[in-house]
């Protein structure tokens, strides 16, 4: 079922969804099940699975020269989506990114998803790899997320890259894209960022998922500005509880988000690490309650398998990480509310 269909059938009730990373290369699918098992009792409407582009490593050869190798540390997004559907009977949303992929490789991945009856995609540009100061597109790929949107929208009308194909079967993907209530860090201002966002909607995007935020007023203001600009698709807020004191500085650096002073004060007043986690979860629960009361279509929680938060200096903007145990704890509190 499409994300937009889930939202329509909910009849105004707020749904919830989670986002996971594929396991590191060499790990088993059981590592994913271990993450999701404690969450599934709360019946997420759908599960996002991130996609990671290649990284480059250099290996020294016997002649003393360095040879460049391309590798993906977290492969398997398409297969993981299929495994989750079969194991849990829940819809999945694979992420498709521009970076590292040609248009033909993207089309082939979409065909595989179509064969598997996966009918949702979240389309993202992706971030630069560590060895690049700025994002570099594949020579035969897309530079911007809107180009991905156009490619998928074309396939939904039966238009493939090979225009000579006969009797083609159109795909039927529900297209989601990212949104930034505090603007994308590369945009000169929020208005410009939202104009680009509107162009993605006009190209075929059907719903939005926001970057994490910790101040609901920014989400509400963003929703109102979207309405003023004629953006009338569902806008799903992205959430993540703070669980370590270090995140007060690392999260703004990695994700270009502001943290409210009240939350900073509450975290800094904590005496133990356990208190910090508890306070961070409580703030996330309070955010969730207010968003539900305001009629948010779905609450999207960013999760990962490790118990401790890790925020690298360069992390994909739509791949925040939080422990599954924290997700389960905050969801338990939220679902127990009257």
């Amino acid at each position: 079922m499409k994300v937009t269909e889930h939202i329509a059938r909910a009849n105004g009730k707020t749904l919830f969804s989670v986002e996971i990373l594929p396991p590191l290369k060499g790990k088993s699918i059981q590592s994913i099940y271990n993450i999701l098992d404690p969450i599934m009792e709360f019946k997420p409407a759908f599960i996002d699975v991130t996609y990671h582009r290649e990284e480059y490593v250099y290996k020294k050869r016997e002649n003393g020269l360095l040879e460049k190798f391309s590798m993906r540390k977290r492969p398997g997004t398409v297969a993981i989506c299929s495994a989750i559907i079969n194991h849990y009977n829940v819809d999945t949303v694979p992420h498709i990114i521009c970076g590292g992929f040609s248009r033909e490789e993207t089309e082939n991945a979409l065909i595989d998803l179509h064969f598997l009856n996966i009918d949702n995609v979240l389309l993202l540009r992706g971030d630069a790899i560590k060895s690049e100061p700025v994002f570099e597109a594949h020579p035969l790929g897309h530079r911007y997320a809107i180009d991905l949107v156009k490619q998928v929208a074309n396939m939904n009308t039966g238009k493939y890259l090979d225009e000579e194909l006969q009797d083609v079967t159109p795909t039927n993907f529900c297209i989601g894209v990212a949104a930034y209530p505090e603007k994308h860090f590369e945009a000169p201002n929020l208005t410009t960022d939202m104009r680009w966002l509107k162009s993605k909607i006009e190209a075929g995007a059907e719903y939005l998922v926001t970057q994490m935020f910790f101040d609901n007023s920014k989400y509400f203001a963003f929703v109102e500005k979207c309405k003023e600009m004629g953006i009338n698709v569902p806008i799903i807020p992205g959430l993540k509880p703070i669980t370590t004191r270090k995140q007060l500085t690392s999260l703004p650096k990695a994700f270009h988000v502001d943290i409210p002073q009240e939350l900073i004060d509450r975290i800094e007043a904590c005496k133990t690490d356990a208190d910090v986690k508890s306070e961070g979860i409580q703030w996330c629960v309070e955010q969730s309650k207010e968003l539900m009361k305001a009629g948010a279509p779905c609450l999207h929680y960013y999760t990962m398998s490790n118990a401790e938060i890790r925020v690298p200096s360069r992390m994909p903007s739509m791949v925040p990480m939080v422990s599954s145990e924290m997700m389960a704890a905050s969801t338990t509190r939220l679902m127990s509310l009257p």
Side-chain angles (χ1 to χ4, degrees):
M1 187 188 303
K2 295 182 176 182
V3 168
T4 51
E5 291 173 340
H6 277 289
I7 292 172
R9 293 189 182 190
N11 293 319
K13 178 183 177 181
T14 300
L15 305 173
F16 97 92
S17 60
V18 297
E19 181 169 306
I20 63 171
L21 284 72
L24 290 168
K25 184 178 290 188
K27 302 295 183 180
S28 74
I29 191 65
Q30 186 60 46
S31 63
I32 294 296
Y33 299 155
N34 292 341
I35 302 167
L36 294 176
D37 282 347
I39 297 174
M40 292 308 299
E41 64 176 292
F42 303 109
K43 303 185 186 315
F46 51 90
I47 296 170
D48 278 44
V49 182
T50 65
Y51 212 125
H52 293 256
R53 65 174 299 181
E54 83 286 354
E55 293 183 17
Y56 293 104
V57 296
Y58 291 87
K59 296 183 179 180
K60 191 173 184 179
R61 292 306 183 191
E62 293 180 357
N63 58 9
L65 297 178
L66 296 177
E67 187 172 356
K68 185 178 180 180
F69 288 88
S70 172
M71 63 176 293
R72 282 190 172 88
K73 290 185 176 181
R74 295 181 182 273
T77 295
V78 173
I80 291 167
C81 286
S82 180
I84 290 173
I85 292 172
N86 290 329
H87 192 75
Y88 296 110
N89 192 30
V90 63
D91 287 308
T92 55
V93 183
H95 292 192
I96 304 294
I97 64 175
C98 296
F101 298 94
S102 68
R103 292 185 292 275
E104 184 176 5
E105 288 172 328
T106 296
E107 181 176 87
N108 291 337
L110 290 164
I111 290 171
D112 287 343
L113 293 170
H114 183 55
F115 287 161
L116 293 168
N117 292 319
I118 295 171
D119 50 11
N120 297 290
V121 288
L122 187 71
L123 306 181
L124 310 162
R125 187 198 70 175
D127 286 349
I129 59 177
K130 294 178 181 179
S131 59
E132 295 174 348
V134 295
F135 175 82
E136 295 290 344
H138 187 287
L140 300 177
H142 298 304
R143 178 167 293 277
Y144 302 108
I146 189 173
D147 300 316
L148 270 180
V149 173
K150 290 177 180 178
Q151 181 173 5
V152 178
N154 281 339
M155 292 179 67
N156 281 347
T157 63
K159 184 178 179 180
Y160 288 70
L161 295 176
D162 184 352
E163 297 180 357
E164 296 182 1
L165 293 177
Q166 300 293 320
D167 299 321
V168 298
T169 300
T171 56
N172 190 31
F173 291 110
C174 178
I175 301 171
V177 295
Y180 300 86
E182 300 174 65
K183 90 171 184 64
H184 191 278
F185 72 97
E186 293 180 2
N189 56 53
L190 182 59
T191 298
T192 300
D193 195 25
M194 294 187 68
R195 287 175 180 168
W196 292 336
L197 179 62
K198 185 177 181 181
S199 68
K200 296 177 191 177
I201 304 301
E202 293 170 344
E206 300 170 74
Y207 72 96
L208 309 176
V209 181
T210 77
Q211 172 64 283
M212 70 171 77
F213 57 88
F214 298 92
D215 183 348
N216 284 355
S217 67
K218 295 188 176 182
Y219 169 80
F220 296 138
F222 178 75
V223 170
E224 287 304 311
K225 192 168 180 64
C226 282
K227 292 178 181 178
E228 293 172 3
M229 296 185 68
I231 298 174
N232 298 307
V233 299
I235 303 174
I236 299 173
L239 301 171
K240 189 193 86 63
I242 286 180
T243 57
T244 67
R245 200 181 306 269
K246 182 180 179 181
Q247 289 175 344
L248 293 179
T249 55
S250 61
L251 290 179
K253 180 179 179 181
F255 300 111
H256 309 278
V257 296
D258 288 337
I259 297 180
Q261 188 60 46
E262 181 185 351
L263 176 55
I264 294 172
D265 292 342
R266 285 164 62 168
I267 294 296
E268 289 183 341
C270 292
K271 296 181 179 180
T272 68
D273 292 342
D275 290 342
V276 171
K277 286 184 179 181
S278 179
E279 197 64 60
I281 291 172
Q282 181 58 35
W283 183 275
C284 189
V285 169
E286 292 169 7
Q287 275 192 274
S288 300
K289 289 170 62 178
E290 185 178 28
L291 290 164
M292 291 173 68
K293 186 177 180 180
C298 180
L299 304 181
H300 186 67
Y301 295 96
Y302 296 111
T303 74
M304 72 169 295
S305 56
N306 290 344
E308 298 299 325
I309 302 294
R310 293 186 297 109
V311 182
S313 58
R314 182 181 293 273
M315 184 186 299
S317 57
M318 283 298 292
V319 191
M321 300 197 244
V322 64
S323 69
S324 59
E325 66 182 61
M326 293 300 103
M327 173 64 230
S330 59
T331 306
T332 299
R333 292 190 194 179
L334 185 60
M335 296 305 169
S336 65
L337 295 172

